[in-house]
Amino acid sequence: MDIADWRKKIDELDRRLVELLCERAQAAVEIGRLKRNTNLPIYEPERERIVFENVQKINRGPLPGRDLVRIFERIMDVMRNIQKEGIAAKAAKVETELDSDVND
């Protein structure tokens, strides 16, 4: 495969990642609603530790476990904010924190 083929593959993988992240966000909204209704804390460090352990267990590489955890730390941070604010508030924010230098 040439670079164009690899980029097409990355575009398709990105599409699938977006679908999965949105599905995960919807679950976070529901969990946030349950937590607010039962006065449970949004931040649960033990649960996050379990998530990090789980993703490291299933990791088959080539992504190093440390990097995978860093990615999931960011995902969990965003999901925590969604739980706090609900999905409507997050959907209103269309800005991105990515540098314009970031590429494939």
Side-chain angles (χ1 to χ4, degrees), residues 17-71:
L17 282 169
V18 168
E19 288 175 4
L20 290 171
L21 288 169
C22 287
E23 192 174 327
R24 194 182 199 293
Q26 187 58 52
V29 167
E30 297 305 324
I31 289 170
R33 186 184 342 261
L34 291 169
K35 285 180 175 180
R36 284 189 303 278
N37 290 342
T38 56
N39 294 318
L40 289 171
I42 297 296
Y43 178 57
E44 295 183 74
E46 179 61 17
R47 172 61 184 150
E48 290 190 14
R49 185 189 62 74
I50 291 168
V51 170
F52 300 147
E53 285 179 3
N54 288 342
V55 298
Q56 286 186 70
K57 280 182 198 169
I58 61 173
N59 183 21
R60 299 288 178 248
L63 193 60
R66 181 185 76 233
D67 292 341
L68 188 62
V69 167
R70 287 179 58 210
I71 292 166

Side-chain angles (χ1 to χ4, degrees), residues 15 25 32 43 69 95 101 104:
R15 185 192 63 74
Y43 178 57
V69 167
E95 61 200 50
D101 295 343
D104 303 341

Side-chain angles (χ1 to χ4, degrees), residues 69-85:
V69 167
R70 287 179 58 210
I71 292 166
F72 270 83
E73 284 171 342
R74 185 64 180 131
I75 290 170
M76 299 288 283
D77 182 48
V78 169
M79 297 301 161
R80 220 182 297 109
N81 287 333
I82 286 172
Q83 286 183 4
K84 287 179 197 169
E85 301 172 10

